[in-house]
Amino acid sequence: MNDRIAQALTKLFDRHRIVFWYDAKQELRNDFEALALPGVEKLELANNEYGVKYRILREQPGQKFLLYRQGPQPADLDNWLLDVQLSHGEFRTDQVAIWLSDLELGLEFTDMVKAHAEFFHGLKRKEDLKKLLASDDTTGQIRLKMLAVCAGCEPHMDSVMENLLQELADGRDEKIRLIVRCSLDGFLWEQMSRSYGYKSDEPGIRDFVIELFKSCYAMGTDGQVKLTGDAMVFLKRWKDSRKFEGCFETLSGECAEVLGIEQDLAKRDFRELIELDYFRLIDQKIISDLVREVAAQTVSSGEVSLWVRQRRQGHWYHEYSHFYEALDYAAQFTYALGQVKLSMESLAEGVQRYSRVWYQLDQLYRKFMYHVRMLSQASMMSALIDHIENLYTNNYLLKLGDRFQTCVDTAFRWDATPVHRQHEFFNHWVRPFLQKDKKVCVIISDAMRYEIGEELLGLIRQEDRYSAEIEPVLSMLPSYTQLGMAALLPNKELAIADNESSTVLVDGQTSQGLNNRRKILALGVRGKTGSALTAEDFLSMPREGDDGYRSLFSSNDVVYIYHNRIDAVGDKRDSEGRVFEAVEDALGELVKIIRKLSTANATNMLVTSDHGFLYQNRPIEESDFSGVDAEGEQILFQDRRFVFGKGLVEKSSLHTFTPQQLGLVGEVEVQIPKSINRLRLKGSGSRFVHGGASLQEVVIPVLKINKKRQSDITVVEVDILRGASSVITSGQFAVTMYQAGPVTEKVQPRMLRAGIYTEAGALISDSHDLTFDLTSDNPRERELQVRFVLTHKADAANGQEVILRLEEQHAGTSHYKEYKSLRYLIRRSFTSDFDF
């Protein structure tokens, strides 16, 4: 006991020169007499008050005194030392007094401590509270900090509620029971009323969260709102918190069931829900309705893109991203198909029109099917999938194939001048670098058809300091790997081997395999050095050392890198259905290869392909197979889309080419099934095919890439459009943001945080994370309306100027800097409290 008294008195003397000690129960005299505090003189009060007062105030004004009285404190009128006592400290030995002393709180907090005695019985709770206390805390502030200790969080009501809601979601109640046990529940509900407008005859955390979801949903659907704008701001912050998002999702689901949200949504138009994301059911409703609308073509592509873009900001987007993206691509595909005219007069016109416009339909279809395949519940979109499949196959693929086949049938030679042919690749694109003593790297991605190359073009241009151009090339026919790979090497003559191997000879030498291609490359570079390797080997190479990739490029003038992701997956019956996923992987790998090449000082790069491909997601119908089999004097080799032989018999559904017509030497003839038809072949896949003469198979890209020394990336500018008024008169305030130009490969999106602040920097509204990534050339389509909800803190700023501030995050940090701002005047009447 004596040690605790000494400790408590020492703390008091840190703040006071004179301390009074009334031993009301007359049981601590021995402790007083045994007490020895350095620098403190002990005096007992026993009818000597006047003399003591003179001594402590006049004779020894700098000395510390402990004034002990055995018995209770005299009445104020009889207390000669009352003025001294009031201006100095008092030591009390009851439990409340000890707590106050331990916390270094004044006697004015006695009643508060008594009211919450249970809280202070916990030693750790008391220690945690002490860490939070400040010298100027009010009773209310201390109670809020006690709430925070009970809830295990920061002393803010939002934090207290987040932790209590987390406990509710976990099915526990220890924290709220502790709050009740510590008699803090009354204060909690008082603060809930003040902070969020929550009032109830039987208040509870579950009741609050139901009312929270109900009111916030009502705010967005013109329903009855009981809570304040601060409640909506809290809900937005809560659902966007990474720490509490799981808790939000759990309680959102429970409240959706209690509030009958599913039944309410069934009566609503999805358009009025686009800005709401409080319930998972909202996304399901929007997706369900959009599937029907897109399939029925009752909404425009532009509308769907806008809605999808708005949903990307929502809480549940990550869960439904593939649904939204599939819908967006489906709408774009339908619109694009309605705009095209699939007509041409020659091979050259077909190739050129495909490389300018028509390829987009294959690209949109691919992107749609990729996201469909990523869905866990694709059956929900079955009607739309069937619709897009029918349009793609019957209105595009088959029509385009038939019309291009007409040009193929009437062409004397396989030629589309002015479009370059694939066998000219080395002389036209590679040799000019060597003649200028410049090194060049060639990346050949197996089965990268033109539309994939065009997407790669955009990805490369997005990279800082990279420029890239694309050009269509007419592949060799048949459009299969051995011939395409051979044509990309230096060559004078190409011939199909006169046997059953389908091997291609380059100037009489076999081109099968990496070693043979290295030999051909070494012979063809004429005084320069060349090498070839696989993409897997290149990606696994270290940077430095004799076996490093920097050494490889420093010792060779031209390097061929063979990349095989798409064809490796698509050309197998068991995996052909995953070819579009393989395309996504291939694009990522190609960008990775290009980045790695640049670290080896490879500034000149070419990316091309050996051939393209046809792909239809659904099983091939009987009508898609050729009705006849190839016949002739000798059948050397047969695939789904071509036949090698001699003396081949001409048939109506097959087109026969002499080797001379195809730019080949030798005697091997080629037959191609017309349009998009397949030949029957056991054990082979039929959805992914190549070798034929469709535009998808024979139009391949050549990308010419250059690495620059200086940065060429900028970020799009954003402005705040001031409306007709600069006055805020209600609790909700809408502002239009304007993206100054479209986002392109070299003009990147800008991410900003928006909020309304006072002059002192206090946030008085909800905060919005905004992404400006619009690509439209139409200025009206680059406007974004943002609705702010003011909190109760805005009341203190009534009649004052406030600042709408756009802030941008410092790269690689959590800090923000101001990007732009605009001033407004708040002028709200009392009726604005009802505008939610």
Side-chain angles (χ1 to χ4, degrees):
M1 180 68 175
N2 192 268
D3 288 342
R4 291 185 64 189
I5 291 173
Q7 289 174 6
L9 283 169
T10 299
K11 292 176 182 176
L12 278 171
F13 277 112
D14 286 341
R15 292 181 288 148
H16 304 289
R17 183 174 72 87
I18 302 169
V19 175
F20 288 78
W21 180 1
Y22 295 106
D23 186 3
K25 296 182 180 180
Q26 303 182 23
E27 57 188 13
L28 298 175
R29 171 174 284 280
N30 291 337
D31 292 289
F32 169 71
E33 291 176 351
L35 189 69
L37 296 176
V40 177
E41 187 173 339
K42 299 189 298 182
L43 296 176
E44 183 175 357
L45 300 177
N47 297 319
N48 58 347
E49 286 84 350
Y50 184 78
V52 168
K53 189 172 188 177
Y54 183 80
R55 179 179 175 182
I56 63 178
L57 296 181
R58 292 300 180 89
E59 292 183 344
Q60 296 176 274
Q63 175 64 40
K64 292 182 178 181
F65 290 97
L66 173 61
L67 306 182
Y68 172 83
R69 178 187 176 91
Q70 188 170 353
Q73 178 178 329
D76 289 351
L77 291 176
D78 299 325
N79 190 349
W80 287 67
L81 295 172
L82 180 62
D83 57 336
V84 180
Q85 181 180 326
L86 292 175
S87 61
H88 289 81
E90 179 183 353
F91 173 61
R92 298 173 64 179
T93 54
D94 58 276
Q95 185 62 70
V96 171
I98 292 174
W99 287 336
L100 288 170
S101 176
D102 287 346
L103 295 169
E104 300 180 9
L105 291 174
L107 294 175
E108 64 271 23
F109 297 106
T110 300
D111 292 341
M112 183 207 71
V113 172
K114 280 183 179 179
H116 307 293
E118 178 63 26
F119 177 91
F120 298 97
H121 281 301
L123 179 60
K124 186 174 187 310
R125 289 196 295 272
K126 190 174 65 174
E127 290 175 350
D128 290 343
L129 176 63
K130 186 174 180 179
K131 294 174 184 176
L132 298 175
L133 292 176
S135 59
D136 57 350
D137 277 343
T138 64
T139 300
Q141 289 170 327
I142 294 175
R143 282 197 171 106
L144 178 58
K145 292 176 179 180
M146 291 164 68
L147 267 182
V149 170
C150 291
C153 64
E154 295 296 315
H156 307 289
M157 270 309 296
D158 283 0
S159 296
V160 170
M161 286 314 305
E162 285 170 344
N163 279 267
L164 293 180
L165 291 174
Q166 180 68 63
E167 182 179 62
L168 178 65
D170 293 341
R172 297 181 291 106
D173 62 356
E174 291 89 347
K175 292 176 180 177
I176 188 63
R177 286 173 60 189
L178 176 61
I179 288 171
V180 173
R181 213 166 61 240
C182 294
S183 303
L184 286 165
D185 50 321
F187 177 76
L188 172 66
W189 306 127
E190 177 188 318
Q191 293 304 303
M192 297 275 279
S193 174
R194 180 177 300 174
S195 298
Y196 311 121
Y198 172 69
K199 297 176 182 177
S200 174
D201 294 336
E202 297 182 10
I205 300 300
R206 187 175 297 278
D207 184 69
F208 166 73
V209 76
I210 292 172
E211 186 57 54
L212 177 66
F213 277 102
K214 182 179 179 181
S215 285
C216 289
Y217 180 66
M219 286 182 192
T221 56
D222 297 324
Q224 184 179 2
V225 179
K226 292 185 178 179
L227 302 185
T228 64
D230 290 61
M232 176 180 257
V233 174
F234 166 73
L235 180 60
K236 286 185 175 183
R237 186 182 299 123
W238 176 43
K239 72 178 174 61
D240 293 338
S241 164
R242 290 187 178 180
K243 181 179 179 181
F244 295 106
E245 65 177 350
C247 158
F248 164 79
E249 290 173 5
T250 298
L251 295 179
S252 169
E254 293 178 7
C255 290
E257 188 172 346
V258 171
L259 297 171
I261 296 300
E262 184 173 0
Q263 293 75 20
D264 182 79
L265 290 172
K267 300 178 292 185
R268 297 188 181 277
D269 187 310
F270 74 91
R271 293 166 181 81
E272 64 180 292
L273 305 170
I274 292 296
E275 295 183 8
L276 305 183
D277 67 342
Y278 307 128
F279 303 105
R280 181 184 275 107
L281 288 168
I282 293 175
D283 286 82
Q284 294 174 358
K285 161 72 174 177
I286 292 171
I287 290 167
S288 178
D289 286 3
L290 268 178
V291 167
R292 287 192 295 271
E293 298 267 5
V294 173
Q297 296 179 235
T298 52
V299 289
S300 72
S301 172
E303 288 175 317
V304 175
S305 292
L306 178 60
W307 293 328
V308 169
R309 184 184 178 282
Q310 288 177 289
R311 295 312 294 173
R312 286 189 189 122
Q313 311 297 321
H315 179 83
W316 311 94
Y317 173 76
H318 68 284
E319 187 172 329
Y320 296 103
S321 61
H322 291 298
F323 280 100
Y324 283 118
E325 297 306 313
L327 285 164
D328 193 7
Y329 283 116
Q332 290 184 55
F333 173 83
T334 305
Y335 173 77
L337 183 59
Q339 301 301 304
V340 300
K341 293 182 179 179
L342 304 175
S343 61
M344 69 205 86
E345 299 297 328
S346 65
L347 290 178
E349 185 183 0
V351 171
Q352 289 173 321
R353 296 193 67 184
Y354 182 81
S355 64
R356 292 168 187 163
V357 179
W358 298 338
Y359 77 87
Q360 296 175 31
L361 288 158
D362 290 302
Q363 191 177 82
L364 292 170
Y365 171 77
R366 171 174 60 83
K367 302 297 279 188
F368 168 75
M369 288 310 312
Y370 166 74
H371 289 290
V372 164
R373 284 190 55 83
M374 294 295 103
L375 296 176
S376 58
Q377 299 169 311
S379 58
M380 179 180 171
M381 298 186 71
S382 58
L384 179 60
I385 294 170
D386 288 343
H387 176 66
I388 297 299
E389 286 278 16
N390 287 331
L391 288 177
Y392 180 72
T393 301
N394 300 322
N395 291 23
Y396 171 65
L397 205 59
L398 185 56
K399 287 184 179 179
L400 182 63
D402 288 348
R403 290 169 187 176
F404 188 64
Q405 185 65 46
T406 301
C407 298
V408 173
D409 291 341
T410 57
F412 178 74
R413 296 181 67 250
W414 183 244
D415 183 83
T417 305
V419 176
H420 287 281
R421 296 178 65 188
Q422 190 177 34
H423 74 88
E424 301 169 345
F425 173 77
F426 190 88
N427 285 335
H428 183 74
W429 278 282
V430 179
R431 198 174 298 284
F433 285 109
L434 302 180
Q435 290 171 341
K436 296 176 183 177
D437 292 327
K438 293 182 178 180
K439 295 178 181 289
V440 60
C441 180
V442 177
I443 305 165
I444 302 171
S445 186
D446 203 326
M448 184 182 72
R449 64 185 183 181
Y450 186 85
E451 57 93 0
I452 300 170
E454 197 280 336
E455 184 174 350
L456 177 63
L457 176 75
L459 294 175
I460 294 168
R461 285 177 171 174
Q462 289 174 19
E463 297 287 314
D464 194 18
R465 297 188 296 163
Y466 285 87
S467 64
E469 300 171 354
I470 190 170
E471 191 173 334
V473 170
L474 182 68
S475 82
M476 299 299 292
L477 200 63
S479 52
Y480 77 114
T481 299
Q482 287 90 329
L483 183 55
M485 292 296 184
L488 295 170
L489 293 164
N491 66 86
K492 294 178 181 177
E493 291 182 344
L494 298 174
I496 296 168
D498 193 351
N499 55 44
E500 298 179 355
S501 68
S502 76
T503 301
V504 178
L505 305 178
V506 177
D507 300 332
Q509 180 175 329
T510 178
S511 61
Q512 190 79 13
L514 190 60
N515 286 332
N516 287 319
R517 293 174 191 170
R518 285 195 187 108
K519 294 176 183 177
I520 295 169
L521 187 60
L523 290 172
V525 294
R526 298 178 189 171
K528 302 290 185 177
T529 55
S531 185
L533 70 164
T534 66
E536 290 83 354
D537 288 344
F538 171 67
L539 288 172
S540 64
M541 290 176 75
R543 176 171 171 157
E544 305 295 345
D546 293 339
D547 59 348
Y549 61 87
R550 294 198 70 171
S551 174
L552 173 71
F553 288 102
S554 65
S555 58
N556 285 285
D557 297 295
V558 57
V559 174
Y560 272 44
I561 297 177
Y562 291 96
H563 176 254
N564 186 9
R565 173 69 69 174
I566 301 169
D567 202 63
V569 172
D571 230 5
K572 298 182 181 67
R573 184 174 60 179
D574 294 339
S575 61
E576 65 176 349
R578 300 196 301 272
V579 68
F580 287 166
E581 292 99 299
V583 171
E584 296 293 321
D585 294 338
L587 288 168
E589 285 182 358
L590 289 167
V591 171
K592 186 176 180 181
I593 290 169
I594 291 164
R595 287 174 180 164
K596 189 168 181 177
L597 285 170
S598 69
T599 65
N601 298 323
T603 57
N604 301 306
M605 290 165 267
L606 298 168
V607 182
T608 189
S609 175
D610 52 349
H611 57 77
F613 63 87
L614 279 173
Y615 181 79
Q616 293 161 262
N617 188 66
R618 65 185 180 188
I620 301 304
E621 298 179 1
E622 187 66 24
S623 60
D624 291 322
F625 287 97
S626 175
V628 297
D629 294 326
E631 297 179 10
E633 296 175 9
Q634 188 179 14
I635 303 296
L636 296 173
F637 184 86
Q638 180 173 324
D639 207 307
R640 285 288 190 190
R641 290 283 286 160
F642 65 95
V643 176
F644 290 152
K646 293 182 180 180
L648 297 176
V649 177
E650 190 75 39
K651 296 192 176 183
S652 61
S653 59
L654 301 174
H655 187 95
T656 306
F657 293 91
T658 66
Q660 290 72 31
Q661 286 177 309
L662 298 177
L664 303 172
V665 298
E667 299 179 0
V668 177
E669 298 173 347
V670 177
Q671 274 191 342
I672 306 290
K674 294 187 176 182
S675 188
I676 62 171
N677 290 333
R678 280 84 161 158
L679 294 168
R680 298 187 184 280
L681 191 67
K682 289 184 179 180
S684 174
S686 58
R687 290 187 289 164
F688 174 94
V689 293
H690 58 86
S694 72
L695 285 163
Q696 289 82 359
E697 296 168 282
V698 301
V699 182
I700 59 170
V702 170
L703 280 74
K704 188 175 182 180
I705 304 166
N706 182 257
K707 181 71 180 293
K708 300 179 180 179
R709 294 183 179 276
Q710 293 183 331
S711 174
D712 60 355
I713 292 290
T714 59
V715 182
V716 73
E717 292 293 326
V718 176
D719 293 314
I720 308 170
L721 299 184
R722 185 184 289 281
S725 173
S726 60
V727 179
I728 300 175
T729 60
S730 67
Q732 295 192 57
F733 180 59
V735 179
T736 300
M737 310 290 179
Y738 174 63
Q739 184 180 302
V743 165
T744 64
E745 289 96 343
K746 293 302 182 184
V747 181
Q748 295 188 340
R750 188 181 289 273
M751 276 67 73
L752 298 172
R753 183 176 69 181
I756 300 176
Y757 296 81
T758 64
E759 289 275 11
L763 179 65
I764 59 172
S765 73
D766 54 345
S767 180
H768 295 265
D769 291 319
L770 306 173
T771 300
F772 294 91
D773 58 358
L774 299 168
T775 57
S776 174
D777 289 322
N778 185 345
R780 297 292 298 176
E781 294 178 358
R782 297 198 304 271
E783 294 182 1
L784 177 68
Q785 188 176 77
V786 182
R787 187 175 301 278
F788 295 92
V789 178
L790 299 183
T791 67
H792 73 277
K793 294 179 182 177
D795 296 340
N798 202 16
Q800 301 175 16
E801 275 197 340
V802 294
I803 304 165
L804 169 58
R805 187 183 302 154
L806 297 180
E807 297 176 311
E808 191 167 29
Q809 191 170 8
H810 278 286
T813 75
S814 60
H815 299 283
Y816 283 80
K817 60 180 178 181
E818 182 176 306
Y819 171 67
K820 283 183 182 176
S821 64
L822 199 59
R823 289 178 174 271
Y824 291 86
L825 176 67
I826 291 188
R827 187 181 294 152
R828 299 172 64 198
S829 68
F830 72 92
T831 58
S832 64
D833 294 332
F834 300 92
D835 56 23
F836 292 102

